[in-house]
Amino acid sequence: MVSSKDVAKYAGVSQTTVSRVLNTPERVKEPTYKKVMAAIEELNYIPDANARSLVQQKTDTIALISGPLYNPFFVETTSSIVNYANENGFKINVHFSKNENITDTYHSIFENKVDGIILSSILLEDPIFEKLEKSGIPFITYNRKHESNKNFVEMNNEQAGFLAADYLLSLGHDKICWVGGPLEISTFKGRYDGFLRAFQKNGVAVEQERVFLTDTSKKQLHETFLKMEMLEEKPTAIYAATDAIAIQMMDFYISAGYRVPEDISIIGIDNVEIGQHASINLTTVGISSSMNLGQLAIETLIDMIHEKNKPCIQITKAVRLFERKTTMSRRRV
Amino acid sequence: MVSSKDVAKYAGVSQTTVSRVLNTPERVKEPTYKKVMAAIEELNYIPDANARSLVQQKTDTIALISGPLYNPFFVETTSSIVNYANENGFKINVHFSKNENITDTYHSIFENKVDGIILSSILLEDPIFEKLEKSGIPFITYNRKHESNKNFVEMNNEQAGFLAADYLLSLGHDKICWVGGPLEISTFKGRYDGFLRAFQKNGVAVEQERVFLTDTSKKQLHETFLKMEMLEEKPTAIYAATDAIAIQMMDFYISAGYRVPEDISIIGIDNVEIGQHASINLTTVGISSSMNLGQLAIETLIDMIHEKNKPCIQITKAVRLFERKTTMSRRRV
DNA sequence: CAATAAAATGGTTACGTAACCATTTTGAGT
DNA sequence: ACTCAAAATGGTTACGTAACCATTTTATTG
C-alpha cells in the first residue's frame, strides 16, 4: 500500500512536505505543490484515515445502535441519522440491536474510539449506561431512555399512551387489547403507563387478559393475534404500542377476513410515513414535527461532540393524535 | 486515554505482556495474567482498534453504499448486510447514495482502508468502477452492475421486465404506463429492455408518451401521476419499475379516488415484504429465494475478503411472477 | 548439580500520519 | 553586498498496538 513516505521519495521532497500539500497547501511553494500532486496521482496515493486518527485522537466516526428495520420508525431515523452525519463529515458505524450479542456490540464500539454514540438500545435498568458515562464519549439515546433520565431524545410516551387509549375509550371501545413490547424498555413502559392512566381517568377497568407483551417480532405478534381470537369476548379495538405493531396486526386481521375499522379498530403510536399510505391510513399518535427523533438526536449529538461541554440533554417532545381511517366508533348491534 | 503502556506500567510488566494477555493469554503465566487483568479493570482500559488496524493492515470494516431507505428493497438488504457482517466480525460503515456527494462518499471510503466494499450506487458507465478495481479492495455491487459485467449480484432484470409487461398484456391491458428510473442504471435499463421485448413479442406498439422516467422521488412520482391524469387516454395499468414506485403510485391513485385494481392495475418488481401486507397485496415480479440480494452479496463479499483470490463474480438470479391483488383483467365497458 | 531446552517475559521497531521543532532558502531593506 | 526576517522545507518523534527478535527464568534430563 502506497504511503506518504513513498510519495515523498518519488517526488523528491520530505514526508512533512507531502503532508503539508494535502493539509496546508498554502504553506507550500507552487512548483513543489505541483510536483507532489503529480506524484500522488501517479502513485494513486490515498491517505490512511486510521493512521491520521491515531495522531489526531479523533476518528470522525459515530456509532449508531438502531432498533430493527422491520419497524419503519427505525427506517426513518436511520436515514436521517446517516444522512445528517455524512453531511457533517462523520461516518456512521451501524448496528441493529440484538439482545443476544449486545455486549459484543458495545465492546466493538468502545474499541473503535468513535467520537460519539447514538443509540436506541438501552433499557430502563442497564449497566451499560454507567460504562457509557465513564467512557467520556459523547452519547445520546433516542426513543428510549435510562432510568437516570439523562442524555435522551424521546416523545412523551406517557402522553402518547394516554391520548391513544383515551381516544379509543371516547369512541366507546372498552374491549381494548394492548399489544406492546417489554416493559423494561422506557418507550413501552411510558406508553403503558399512559394507557393505564386513560383507563383510570375514564373509570374503566383494565382486564389483564387483554394485555399482551411481545418481543415485537412477527412471530410473537401472530401468536398474540391467535390468542386474541380465542378470547371469549373478542376485542373491538387493538391498541398497538407502535405503528409497526399496528400495521402488522392489520395484516393479520385483514388476512383473517376482518374489515378495519368496521370489524375492529386499530391504533398505533409513532406516526410513521407508511402509516399515511392510502391503503393503510393508520390512526396514530406521534410528534408533530417534520423532524423525526433520530434527526433531533443526531443534531444534538454532533453539537455535543463539537462543544465538548456536555450539559445534560433531556428532550421530550409533545405528541398529538392523528385521526385517520383505522378507527371508528364501536359498532353496537 | 488509557493505553496498554499505562496498563503495563501499572501492572509492573512490559507492554508486550499486556498485549499477550489480550491476544494470546495461553502464553502468559496465570499469576501474571491475573495481575494484568486486574490492572485493565482498574484503569478501565479498552484497546484501540485503529492502532491495531495500523499494525495488522486490516480494519474489519466493510463500507456499504445503499440506495435510499424510502425504497423498502434497500431496507431489507441493509438489514441483511449489517446483521450478517456483524455476525462475521465486521463493522459496517453505511452510506446512502446521493448523486450530489457520491465522489466525497467514495473518497471517504477509500481513506478508511476498509476490507471490502458492497455498493448499490454504480452506473452502467461509471469511472468509479476502474478506481474500485485499482484499489485492490474486494468489492461487489448488488441490484446494479457496471457495463464491464463484473463483481455483481442481481436479479434477471430483463426477465423481470418482460414477465411483468407480458402479464399485463396477457390481461388485456394495452394502455400501460411505464414508471421507472434513470436508464443509466442497469436495473432500470434491464427492466425497460424486458418491457420493450414483451411489447414486441405481443405485437403491441410502445407509445413513448406513456413512458415516464423519474429519479424515483415522491415528488417526481407525483408529477408523473399528474401527467398521466392529463393523458387523453388514461392508462388502464401502471407498470412500476420497482415495488417502491408501485406502492407510491398506489398511494396517489387511491388518494385520488381510484380503486386498485378495478379502476387501474398496478404491478411492481422486487417482491418486497411490505408488498405482501393484506392492505397492499402487490402483484410483482421478484426472485424466489428467501435470501435477498443483499444477503447473497454480503456472503459473497466476505468470501472474497477471506479467500483473497477473486474469481470474477457474476450472479444473476432468475425471477418469477407473484400474482396478488393489484392487477386484474382490463375492464371492458 | 549442571547443562540444555522450553517457557515466559522484555526490548525494539514498524505501521502511516501529523505535530513540533530545526534548518535552509529566499526576499527585502539598508 | 550584507544582514536580517520571513517563507519554505526537512528531521524527529509520538500516537497505540503488535510482530519480531532477544533475554531471562524455569523445568527437565542426564
Side-chain angles (χ1 to χ4, degrees):
Chain A
M1 191 181 66
V2 176
S3 71
S4 53
K5 285 172 178 169
D6 299 318
V7 174
K9 182 170 294 188
Y10 189 92
V13 296
S14 74
Q15 186 263 329
T16 303
T17 297
V18 175
S19 182
R20 285 199 182 101
V21 164
L22 291 170
N23 299 306
T24 50
E26 65 280 6
R27 299 179 66 196
V28 179
K29 240 154 70 182
E30 185 82 358
T32 307
Y33 174 86
K34 285 183 152 96
K35 187 165 64 175
V36 173
M37 286 304 299
I40 287 175
E41 289 294 318
E42 181 72 20
L43 300 181
N44 195 32
Y45 165 69
I46 299 174
D48 188 324
N50 297 302
R52 182 188 301 138
S53 297
L54 202 46
V55 174
Q56 296 185 330
Q57 294 287 292
K58 72 184 178 74
T59 57
D60 291 333
T61 302
I62 289 172
L64 161 64
I65 310 182
S66 173
L69 294 186
Y70 63 67
N71 184 340
F73 173 89
F74 290 114
V75 170
E76 293 173 18
T77 55
T78 296
S79 276
S80 299
I81 290 167
V82 169
N83 287 327
Y84 186 81
N86 286 168
E87 282 157 24
N88 284 269
F90 288 93
K91 300 173 297 286
I92 298 278
N93 266 326
V94 172
H95 304 261
F96 296 117
S97 64
K98 282 209 179 95
N99 290 339
E100 64 269 34
N101 65 359
I102 195 68
T103 304
D104 288 344
T105 298
Y106 284 125
H107 186 260
S108 168
I109 285 170
F110 285 132
E111 283 209 334
N112 277 275
K113 310 297 174 183
V114 294
D115 296 347
I117 306 175
I118 179 168
L119 63 169
S120 189
S121 56
I122 210 152
L123 303 178
L124 275 163
E125 293 177 28
D126 202 327
I128 201 60
F129 193 85
E130 190 185 352
K131 280 184 172 249
L132 284 163
E133 285 193 305
K134 280 170 64 181
S135 76
I137 301 174
F139 73 94
I140 201 157
T141 72
Y142 66 102
N143 199 48
R144 290 191 186 194
K145 65 183 180 183
H146 188 254
E147 64 186 352
S148 68
N149 239 31
K150 290 190 267 181
N151 285 43
F152 64 83
V153 172
E154 64 170 3
M155 70 174 67
N156 188 331
N157 290 302
E158 203 274 348
Q159 184 189 15
F162 177 87
L163 285 180
D166 196 53
Y167 175 68
L168 287 180
L169 291 164
S170 77
L171 292 178
H173 293 281
D174 58 356
K175 300 293 180 247
I176 301 170
C177 286
W178 154 281
V179 185
L183 298 181
E184 292 78 33
I185 296 173
S186 65
T187 323
F188 295 114
K189 177 69 163 70
R191 294 175 188 185
Y192 188 60
D193 285 347
F195 174 81
L196 296 181
R197 180 163 70 88
F199 271 65
Q200 192 172 49
K201 177 242 189 192
N202 283 268
V204 181
V206 171
E207 298 163 1
Q208 278 308 312
E209 65 177 12
R210 296 187 184 282
V211 172
F212 295 93
L213 303 182
T214 76
D215 64 2
T216 76
S217 68
K218 186 171 179 178
K219 178 171 176 292
Q220 282 203 8
L221 292 179
H222 192 254
E223 286 165 7
T224 297
F225 164 72
L226 296 179
K227 284 172 185 168
M228 291 191 289
E229 287 288 82
M230 300 290 211
L231 290 174
E232 190 168 341
E233 284 185 284
K234 286 197 178 66
T236 58
I238 303 296
Y239 175 136
T242 69
D243 281 357
I245 293 174
I247 292 169
Q248 187 58 70
M249 298 314 292
M250 278 178 72
D251 188 29
F252 294 140
Y253 273 98
I254 297 174
S255 296
Y258 290 76
R259 292 169 303 161
V260 176
E262 293 84 352
D263 299 325
I264 186 138
S265 290
I266 298 183
I267 195 168
I269 300 178
D270 281 322
N271 192 30
V272 298
E273 171 89 3
I274 189 68
Q276 297 182 58
H277 190 278
S279 49
I280 297 184
N281 262 312
L282 182 67
T283 299
T284 186
V285 173
I287 63 180
S288 318
S289 175
S290 59
M291 183 182 290
N292 65 48
L293 292 179
Q295 181 71 34
L296 195 54
I298 189 64
E299 290 187 10
T300 307
L301 178 64
I302 290 178
D303 284 346
M304 289 164 76
I305 291 172
H306 286 141
E307 278 156 33
K308 300 280 197 277
N309 66 336
K310 300 204 307 173
C312 182
I313 301 291
Q314 294 170 312
I315 298 177
T316 301
K317 305 290 286 186
V319 291
R320 72 170 180 86
L321 177 72
F322 295 83
E323 188 173 7
R324 297 197 189 103
K325 296 183 180 163
T326 58
T327 46
M328 69 185 285
S329 291
R330 171 189 174 193
R331 299 272 292 281
R332 302 187 189 279
V333 296
Chain B
M1 189 182 67
V2 176
S3 71
S4 53
K5 286 171 176 168
D6 299 317
V7 174
K9 182 171 293 185
Y10 189 93
V13 297
S14 75
Q15 184 265 328
T16 303
T17 296
V18 174
S19 181
R20 286 200 182 102
V21 164
L22 292 170
N23 298 307
T24 52
E26 66 279 4
R27 299 180 65 195
V28 179
K29 240 155 69 181
E30 185 84 355
T32 307
Y33 175 86
K34 285 184 153 93
K35 187 165 64 177
V36 172
M37 285 304 299
I40 287 174
E41 288 294 316
E42 182 73 17
L43 300 180
N44 194 32
Y45 165 69
I46 299 175
D48 188 325
N50 297 301
R52 182 188 301 136
S53 297
L54 202 48
V55 173
Q56 295 186 330
Q57 294 287 293
K58 70 184 181 74
T59 57
D60 291 332
T61 303
I62 289 171
L64 161 63
I65 310 182
S66 173
L69 296 186
Y70 62 68
N71 183 341
F73 173 90
F74 290 115
V75 170
E76 294 172 16
T77 54
T78 295
S79 278
S80 299
I81 290 166
V82 170
N83 287 328
Y84 185 82
N86 287 167
E87 282 157 24
N88 284 269
F90 288 93
K91 301 174 293 289
I92 299 276
N93 268 325
V94 172
H95 305 262
F96 295 117
S97 63
K98 282 214 180 89
N99 289 340
E100 65 270 33
N101 65 359
I102 195 67
T103 305
D104 288 345
T105 298
Y106 285 126
H107 186 260
S108 167
I109 286 171
F110 285 132
E111 282 209 335
N112 276 275
K113 310 298 174 182
V114 294
D115 296 346
I117 305 175
I118 179 168
L119 63 170
S120 190
S121 56
I122 211 153
L123 303 178
L124 275 163
E125 293 177 29
D126 202 327
I128 201 61
F129 193 85
E130 189 184 352
K131 281 186 171 249
L132 284 163
E133 284 194 302
K134 281 169 64 179
S135 76
I137 300 174
F139 72 95
I140 200 157
T141 71
Y142 67 102
N143 199 47
R144 290 193 187 192
K145 64 183 181 183
H146 189 253
E147 64 185 353
S148 68
N149 239 31
K150 289 189 267 181
N151 286 43
F152 64 84
V153 172
E154 66 169 3
M155 71 174 68
N156 188 330
N157 290 303
E158 202 273 349
Q159 183 190 15
F162 177 86
L163 284 180
D166 196 53
Y167 175 67
L168 288 179
L169 291 165
S170 78
L171 292 178
H173 294 280
D174 58 358
K175 299 294 180 254
I176 300 169
C177 285
W178 154 280
V179 184
L183 298 181
E184 292 78 32
I185 295 174
S186 66
T187 322
F188 295 115
K189 178 67 164 67
R191 294 173 188 186
Y192 189 61
D193 286 347
F195 174 82
L196 296 180
R197 180 164 70 88
F199 270 65
Q200 193 173 49
K201 177 240 187 192
N202 284 268
V204 181
V206 172
E207 297 162 2
Q208 278 307 310
E209 67 177 13
R210 297 185 183 284
V211 172
F212 296 92
L213 304 182
T214 76
D215 63 2
T216 76
S217 67
K218 185 171 179 177
K219 179 172 177 291
Q220 282 203 8
L221 291 178
H222 191 253
E223 287 164 9
T224 297
F225 165 70
L226 297 178
K227 285 171 186 168
M228 292 192 289
E229 287 289 79
M230 300 290 208
L231 289 174
E232 191 170 339
E233 284 186 283
K234 288 199 178 65
T236 59
I238 303 296
Y239 176 135
T242 68
D243 280 358
I245 294 174
I247 292 168
Q248 187 59 70
M249 298 313 292
M250 278 179 70
D251 189 27
F252 295 141
Y253 272 99
I254 296 173
S255 296
Y258 289 78
R259 294 169 302 160
V260 176
E262 292 83 353
D263 299 324
I264 186 137
S265 290
I266 299 183
I267 195 170
I269 300 179
D270 280 323
N271 191 32
V272 297
E273 170 89 2
I274 191 68
Q276 298 184 57
H277 190 280
S279 48
I280 297 185
N281 261 311
L282 182 67
T283 300
T284 185
V285 174
I287 63 180
S288 317
S289 175
S290 60
M291 182 182 290
N292 66 48
L293 292 179
Q295 180 72 33
L296 195 53
I298 189 65
E299 290 186 9
T300 307
L301 178 63
I302 290 179
D303 284 347
M304 289 165 76
I305 292 171
H306 286 141
E307 278 156 33
K308 301 278 197 274
N309 67 334
K310 299 205 308 175
C312 181
I313 302 291
Q314 293 169 314
I315 298 177
T316 301
K317 304 290 286 184
V319 290
R320 72 170 182 88
L321 176 72
F322 294 83
E323 188 173 7
R324 297 196 187 102
K325 296 180 180 165
T326 57
T327 47
M328 70 185 285
S329 292
R330 171 189 173 192
R331 300 273 292 282
R332 303 188 190 279
V333 297

